Amino acid sequence: MKRPPIFLTLPALIALTLGACQDANDSQKTDSEPVSDSPAIQEEPFGTIDGQEVRLYTLTNANGVQAKITNYGGIVVSFIAPDKNGEMADVVLGFDSADEYVSKESPYFGCITGRYANRIAKGKFTLDGQEYTLATNNDPNHLHGGDKGFDKRIWKAEPMETTDGPALKLSYTSPDGEEGYPGTLETTVTYTLTADNGLRIDYQATTDKPTVLNLTNHSYFNLGGHGSGTILDHELMIAADRYTPIDETSIPLGDLPSVEGTPFDFRKPTAIGARIGEDNEQLKNGLGYDHNFVIKDSRDGKLQLVATVHDPESGRLLEVESDEPGLQLYVGNFLPKDEPMKGKDGKEYSYREAFCLEAQTFPDSPNQADFPSPVLRPGETYTQTTIYRLKVK
Ligand code: GLA
């Protein structure tokens, strides 16, 4: 989708925004109209889930870059940014309405994934001597929080204007025992669209019983624009010396070997497709890249550049910053090979036409004592920050 860039000085943007927020407070909210005329945050209906209306929030910065987020699953529906010629395109896969995320069985497009992103072996783990059983929705394992994870919940939404840019704060209380996980989890996820075209995601959670968690965002990117074809020519850098090899059911084997001399060495920018067809056991187990990379050994809260992706054709460059120990690379191996999936704006999506870089702790950590701990206890606060920043090169 091509949109003309909006040019506004920052003071003009702030003045407009403050004025519009005032108007929004004074006026009655209706279904068909945005609640504010602010160029920075707009709100509109996005469909109905289980009889409850959900909304779409459009955050716009002074460069005309836009992020559209719904409070259904905290899904990033669109992320619209310029290419090297200033042409705007939407670089994430998605659907036109919340209902389609349900009816088309979204493969986790853009969502907040939880309580535990990625897999837990056989849907079982033991914490403080007690065994817990979770859904094995990715036979034989548990995946992305189970049958009805955070991606399928309706979140409370609070649009906010912050000094870092327009933001959307989402909150969800997951009751004790939901999807088999212990503890009431109070979760907030705040999306902020920064002045330097970063979509910053700040996660926070507390619990009233010891529990495990692993939150991430599952955006599917195509830097040429969604529906523009393969991503195998995108050049990827991942700042990881090691990775977590997996068995045939995608559960980590437990060792953390070096990437040196393997198709998993992305320390220097390399086309995603350059080695994906190699005769390699790990590529076979993942049906391509579907692996966690080891950024560091613990959750130390320090934000760093963990990956870059460059699309030589459009010139778009994605920078990923994260404070998590792991980064899952998934390259759309399960997108359809034959009949394409029908997405937003009449676009179609097929096999390997998107990549995900999911900042997280390691898969199956609840069962792997040597991995960074995914345990959260009462009195502690879980935090996680990821930034997806779009540039051109
Ligand atoms: C993650 C997993 C993949 C797949 C996708 C969703 O990236 O690692 O195996 O399940 O989510 O389709």
Side-chain angles (χ1 to χ4, degrees):
M1 185 165 39
K2 298 192 178 18
R3 279 158 197 265
I6 303 164
F7 295 105
L8 279 173
T9 62
L10 196 58
L13 181 68
I14 290 167
L16 273 167
T17 305
L18 291 174
C21 287
Q22 194 57 48
D23 291 342
N25 291 337
D26 295 346
S27 66
Q28 193 74 29
K29 193 156 104 177
T30 68
D31 280 354
S32 53
E33 287 164 11
V35 287
S36 97
D37 295 325
S38 162
I41 309 175
Q42 297 216 335
E43 180 182 346
E44 62 192 293
F46 196 55
T48 304
I49 300 287
D50 298 335
Q52 207 178 318
E53 193 200 74
V54 297
R55 319 279 299 175
L56 185 70
Y57 299 83
T58 300
L59 313 183
T60 306
N61 73 8
N63 310 315
V65 167
Q66 288 189 324
K68 298 189 182 209
I69 299 153
T70 173
N71 63 322
Y72 175 61
I75 295 168
V76 177
V77 173
S78 303
F79 194 8
I80 299 166
D83 68 4
K84 62 186 173 195
N85 302 315
E87 291 281 342
M88 302 301 252
D90 184 350
V91 298
V92 296
L93 277 55
F95 296 113
D96 290 317
S97 70
D99 319 58
E100 285 175 67
Y101 283 84
V102 181
S103 63
K104 295 184 176 171
E105 295 181 6
S106 170
Y108 302 94
F109 284 163
C111 64
I112 297 164
T113 321
R115 291 190 190 189
Y116 199 94
N118 218 314
R119 293 175 177 78
I120 296 178
K122 311 264 170 31
K124 290 210 184 289
F125 70 95
T126 301
L127 179 59
D128 296 343
Q130 176 148 2
E131 190 180 72
Y132 294 93
T133 302
L134 311 168
T136 48
N137 55 318
N138 187 240
D139 193 29
N141 302 316
H142 179 77
L143 178 70
H144 295 332
D147 292 330
K148 193 166 178 185
F150 284 3
D151 59 301
K152 297 178 185 70
R153 302 286 170 182
I154 299 176
W155 296 61
K156 182 177 155 234
E158 294 168 73
M160 308 185 295
E161 188 55 47
T162 76
T163 48
D164 292 330
L168 183 70
K169 182 178 177 188
L170 300 171
S171 319
Y172 177 67
T173 302
S174 175
D176 184 18
E178 187 176 74
E179 287 293 327
Y181 292 96
T184 310
L185 201 72
E186 300 281 354
T187 318
T188 65
V189 178
T190 306
Y191 287 102
T192 308
L193 183 63
T194 62
D196 63 353
N197 303 344
L199 183 61
R200 179 181 172 120
I201 315 171
D202 291 295
Y203 305 75
Q204 222 181 65
T206 56
T207 181
D208 61 0
K209 283 185 190 165
T211 194
V212 297
L213 83 161
N214 185 28
L215 303 180
T216 194
N217 174 275
H218 209 296
S219 285
Y220 282 63
F221 289 92
N222 183 321
L223 299 182
H226 72 124
S228 69
T230 184
I231 48 80
L232 294 178
D233 51 355
H234 286 28
E235 294 153 359
L236 169 68
M237 185 286 292
I238 301 181
D241 296 331
R242 293 168 294 154
Y243 76 117
T244 52
I246 50 175
D247 68 14
E248 321 73 57
T249 75
S250 293
I251 294 296
L253 301 170
D255 56 339
L256 308 175
S258 168
V259 294
E260 181 87 46
T262 76
F264 295 85
D265 190 348
F266 282 101
R267 291 173 294 184
K268 293 204 183 79
T270 309
I272 293 174
R275 300 161 298 183
I276 201 167
E278 283 184 11
D279 183 16
N280 174 285
E281 193 191 2
Q282 280 305 312
L283 287 172
K284 282 193 194 119
N285 287 354
L287 304 176
Y289 293 110
D290 192 355
H291 293 77
N292 169 65
F293 287 74
V294 178
I295 304 295
K296 56 181 146 188
D297 292 320
S298 66
R299 303 193 70 248
D300 62 6
K302 293 196 185 117
L303 204 58
Q304 67 180 83
L305 184 73
V306 294
T308 61
V309 188
H310 181 234
D311 169 28
E313 178 101 7
S314 67
R316 286 194 189 84
L317 173 76
L318 175 72
E319 289 180 350
V320 185
E321 282 185 36
S322 151
D323 59 5
E324 282 294 292
L327 185 72
Q328 179 84 8
L329 168 66
Y330 168 66
V331 298
N333 306 313
F334 299 121
L335 289 175
K337 276 185 175 166
D338 30 40
E339 180 77 8
M341 183 178 275
K342 296 209 184 325
K344 287 175 292 188
D345 313 324
K347 303 273 186 187
E348 297 191 326
Y349 309 140
S350 296
Y351 184 60
R352 292 186 178 159
E353 290 191 353
F355 66 88
C356 303
L357 287 167
E358 307 156 43
Q360 54 180 258
T361 197
F362 303 173
D364 197 35
S365 298
N367 294 310
Q368 310 238 10
D370 294 337
F371 285 0
S373 172
V375 176
L376 182 71
R377 295 184 181 278
E380 297 174 344
T381 302
Y382 167 97
T383 61
Q384 206 265 79
T385 298
T386 302
I387 304 172
Y388 293 118
R389 189 182 298 108
L390 286 167
K391 295 185 166 176
V392 287
K393 193 174 104 178

